Amino acid sequence: MRLDRFLANSGYGTRKEVKKFIKQKRISVNDSFDVKDNQIIDPINDVICFDGDKIDYQEFYYFLLNKPKGYLSATEDYYEQTVLDLLPEYRHIDLFPVGRLDKDTTGLLLITNDGTLAHDLISPKKHVDKVYIATLDKELDLKIKDEFEHGIILDDELTLPASLEKIEDNIAKVTIHQGKYHQIKRMFEYFGYKVVELDRIKFSFLTYDGLEIGEYRELSKEEIERLKSLKSR
Ligand code: URA
């Protein structure tokens, strides 16, 4: 990894700012101040110091966000706020959301810079359970339950089995294992329902319990290991 990127990723400033620190000889690599911004360093084995203090490197970050309405699940947007605007302290890291929640959907969204894990988690092969509470425009008739289970045609493909439970007259709990565009809304729309509120309450074993809307927390080591060990089916 380039030294300037390492420093920027570690929160020492923008690429431009860290280049200045290198010029000012405030950065050492293995006790040498004869360093260049484009120098390739090994973040694990090289000892990199700022003003003599060793920089501890964290390569990957994992966050669980309770997403509010009004934010795009994207890394940047010219006009709209994105979910990354809710983690301003981590702007220096190349974070991205794991999959998408619609702008008007609330609830659990993972955010990381670990592309391998993110890719694995959104693969339908992993069969990760995603549980949503959907508020509908009218009373749910459970005769559509079997069709959710057997799958319906969306984008010329049969959806994977989904489970449907009635919580209140017009409130349903739905579990799916894939993440097609507007999947839950389109599944209900197929049967003439409009989803007026959608909240993701669970992603695999994770819930947003304890987080107010708009709050986030880092995942624990155990949670990260558990996510990594989810088996494909
Ligand atoms: N399904 C939807 O329709 N929207 C979401 O945000 C997530 C799942």
Side-chain angles (χ1 to χ4, degrees):
M1 176 187 284
R2 280 175 60 129
L3 177 60
D4 53 0
R5 187 182 165 90
F6 168 88
L7 292 167
N9 282 3
S10 302
Y12 284 81
T14 60
R15 287 271 189 107
K16 199 168 157 201
E17 285 162 343
V18 303
K19 279 179 188 172
K20 209 165 73 194
F21 296 145
I22 293 169
K23 269 208 179 112
Q24 292 168 340
K25 305 270 178 218
R26 297 179 72 181
I27 309 293
S28 63
V29 177
N30 301 328
D31 291 331
S32 168
F33 289 90
D34 185 17
V35 297
K36 292 203 178 69
D37 47 30
N38 64 354
Q39 177 170 335
I40 303 300
I41 53 104
D42 174 346
I44 310 295
N45 294 312
D46 286 334
V47 177
I48 297 155
C49 297
F50 180 81
D51 287 345
D53 294 327
K54 184 175 181 309
I55 299 173
D56 287 321
Y57 184 63
Q58 181 174 342
E59 186 176 14
F60 294 123
Y61 290 79
Y62 305 89
F63 299 100
L64 190 163
L65 169 73
N66 185 358
K67 178 192 172 297
K69 282 186 185 181
Y71 289 80
L72 296 183
S73 296
T75 52
E76 55 186 356
D77 191 85
Y78 200 70
Y79 300 104
E80 312 244 24
Q81 289 189 294
T82 75
V83 288
L84 297 190
D85 291 321
L86 296 161
L87 296 86
E89 300 85 342
Y90 294 93
R91 224 182 280 279
H92 56 285
I93 301 162
D94 295 328
L95 294 172
F96 52 86
V98 177
R100 276 164 186 275
L101 290 180
D102 297 336
K103 184 177 165 191
D104 60 353
T105 298
T106 54
L108 197 163
L109 185 64
L110 292 180
I111 295 190
T112 185
N113 60 340
D114 181 345
T116 309
L117 181 64
H119 179 266
D120 270 11
L121 291 175
I122 55 183
S123 161
K125 283 193 202 120
K126 279 279 180 198
H127 221 82
V128 173
D129 280 0
K130 292 164 210 144
V131 186
Y132 294 83
I133 299 293
T135 307
L136 308 173
D137 61 337
K138 57 185 177 203
E139 178 164 1
L140 174 66
D141 184 339
L142 268 184
K143 71 174 190 241
I144 67 172
K145 184 176 163 64
D146 284 351
E147 287 168 274
F148 266 54
E149 261 158 32
H150 294 134
I152 58 169
I153 303 287
L154 288 186
D155 307 330
D156 300 330
E157 255 180 30
L158 199 61
T159 52
L160 293 177
S163 73
L164 176 63
E165 254 177 78
K166 188 165 174 171
I167 306 287
E168 284 177 34
D169 286 354
N170 66 331
I171 300 188
K173 183 170 169 182
V174 189
T175 305
I176 57 173
H177 312 286
Q178 58 192 141
K180 285 179 178 292
Y181 181 65
H182 293 332
Q183 179 158 346
I184 303 272
K185 290 176 186 162
R186 288 197 293 154
M187 286 174 79
F188 278 110
E189 212 172 273
Y190 190 91
F191 298 102
Y193 295 92
K194 188 168 163 18
V195 173
V196 290
E197 297 275 342
L198 189 60
D199 187 40
R200 180 152 74 186
I201 59 166
K202 219 167 164 213
F203 183 99
S204 187
F205 58 90
L206 294 167
T207 68
Y208 59 64
D209 289 356
L211 289 178
E212 295 292 326
I213 195 103
E215 282 186 342
Y216 66 88
R217 67 170 176 86
E218 272 198 77
L219 293 187
S220 67
K221 280 207 175 76
E222 292 71 32
E223 288 170 330
I224 297 163
E225 286 317 311
R226 217 171 140 190
L227 282 180
K228 287 185 178 170
S229 66
L230 292 176
K231 299 268 181 298
S232 298
R233 286 200 224 163

